[in-house]
């Protein structure tokens, strides 16, 4: 479904889920007036960039639902490569950013609801800078600088066409997730992880952990080796020192 304007495609998908929409359903908006990012931050979508959400209803717990954000990151990486962006410099940043040549191309916001034991629905919201960079004033200090598909040598395509590529890629990785489980997704993801084996910084609520990025474990947690041991981090913003 294509909307000219909506507050947020994630909010729209959640409203439809609450109203009984069974999905699977993609919602694409040409313009979002209140797009949301991780950590309750705003996500600006200038017309021409991709803002879309996928609503589906797998049978899984909230913890399992969260793992689909890695699946979505892989689909965005596939989209970027398919549009000819220079993927040699591509990498995935925990938990679900897609970087091209060290700059942020895309963000994923996964939301779920409907039940404590078993989620009733999942919405995977994807924002991709196709040709336009977000306003510099909207960036957080220290955040990875943005880039776009065209800035990295990819083809200029309208959001509708980009969504067709994204949907095919997501279908492919959802199929791997369903058939082989998160272990297979994790292996694909780690093969393209940014800064694996290097020192990174995880900013949690109230403290910062600096350590060597060793792994993403079977629960999707970021594993850092620090001078005092091993830390498994479930929620943080990651920064790359230097
Ligand atoms: C991030 O903070 O990196 C995640 C950004 C996710 C933005 C997308 S745009 C489409 C969908 N609708 C929203 O309101 N947010 C997501």
């Amino acid at each position: 479904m294509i909307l000219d304007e909506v507050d947020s495609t994630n909010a729209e998908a959640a409203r439809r889920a609450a109203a009984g929409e069974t999905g699977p359903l993609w919602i694409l908006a040409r313009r979002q007036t209140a797009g949301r990012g991780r950590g309750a931050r705003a996500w600006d979508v200038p017309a021409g960039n991709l803002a879309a959400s996928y609503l589906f209803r797998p049978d899984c717990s909230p913890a399992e639902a969260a793992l689909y954000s890695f699946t979505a990151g892989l689909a965005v990486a596939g989209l970027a490569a398919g549009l000819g962006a220079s993927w040699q410099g591509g990498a995935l940043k925990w938990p679900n950013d897609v970087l091209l040549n060290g700059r942020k191309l895309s963000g994923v916001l996964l939301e779920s609801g409907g039940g404590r034991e078993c989620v009733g629905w999942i919405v995977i919201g994807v924002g991709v800078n196709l040709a336009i960079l977000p306003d510099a004033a909207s960036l957080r200090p220290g955040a990875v600088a943005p880039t776009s598909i065209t800035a990295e040598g990819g083809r200029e395509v309208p959001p509708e066409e980009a969504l067709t590529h994204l949907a095919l890629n997501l279908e492919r990785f959802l199929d791997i997730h369903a058939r082989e489980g998160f272990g297979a997704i994790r292996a694909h993801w780690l093969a393209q992880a940014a800064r694996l084996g290097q020192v990174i910084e995880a900013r949690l609520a109230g403290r910062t952990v600096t350590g060597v990025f060793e792994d993403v474990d079977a629960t999707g947690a970021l594993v850092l080796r620090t001078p005092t041991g091993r830390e498994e981090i479930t929620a943080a913003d990651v920064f790359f020192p230097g």
Side-chain angles (χ1 to χ4, degrees):
M1 149 185 316
I2 299 178
L3 303 173
D4 270 337
E5 183 176 296
V6 73
D7 51 355
S8 145
T9 54
N10 267 33
E12 178 65 20
R15 284 190 292 265
R16 284 175 188 262
E21 169 66 58
T22 53
L25 172 72
W26 273 105
I27 300 175
L28 170 83
R30 297 205 171 92
R31 235 168 55 81
Q32 285 193 134
T33 53
R36 48 202 203 204
R38 292 180 56 234
R41 289 184 285 270
W43 180 271
D44 275 356
V45 179
N49 281 351
L50 177 68
S53 299
Y54 182 69
L55 166 67
F56 66 121
R57 293 181 179 270
D59 184 16
C60 67
S61 68
E64 287 165 335
L67 300 176
Y68 283 95
S69 68
F70 294 90
T71 315
L74 287 168
V76 176
L79 162 72
L83 293 179
S86 70
W87 183 247
Q88 293 89 314
L92 300 170
K93 174 170 170 277
W94 189 89
N96 51 34
D97 287 347
V98 178
L99 309 182
L100 286 182
N101 298 315
R103 291 166 184 265
K104 178 164 169 165
L105 172 75
S106 155
V108 171
L109 179 66
L110 184 139
E111 296 176 290
S112 63
R116 271 217 193 125
E117 304 284 300
C118 176
V119 298
W121 52 266
I122 295 179
V123 170
I124 298 176
V126 182
V128 182
N129 302 328
L130 295 176
I132 301 149
L133 298 182
D135 185 2
S138 69
L139 302 172
R140 280 171 304 147
V144 172
T147 192
S148 68
I149 294 278
T150 53
E152 304 299 335
R155 280 193 292 127
E156 190 167 338
V157 292
E160 293 83 349
E161 188 179 334
L163 179 60
T164 307
H165 290 276
L166 178 64
L168 283 173
N169 277 287
L170 185 63
E171 201 177 304
R172 173 175 166 230
F173 285 106
L174 284 175
D175 186 51
I176 294 174
H177 200 140
R179 283 187 298 105
E180 300 173 42
F182 178 65
I185 293 296
R186 174 172 165 252
H188 280 285
W189 196 94
L190 282 169
Q192 302 176 71
R195 307 276 178 126
L196 191 61
Q198 296 178 39
V199 173
I200 63 171
E201 196 178 279
R203 294 189 196 159
L204 293 74
R207 71 191 179 105
T208 296
V209 181
T210 303
V212 175
F213 174 17
E214 272 198 336
D215 201 2
V216 168
D217 72 12
T219 69
L222 174 70
V223 181
L224 297 188
R225 185 166 31 85
T226 70
T228 54
R230 185 182 138 103
E231 287 233 23
E232 283 137 31
I233 294 163
T234 54
D237 281 326
V238 166
F239 291 81
F240 297 152

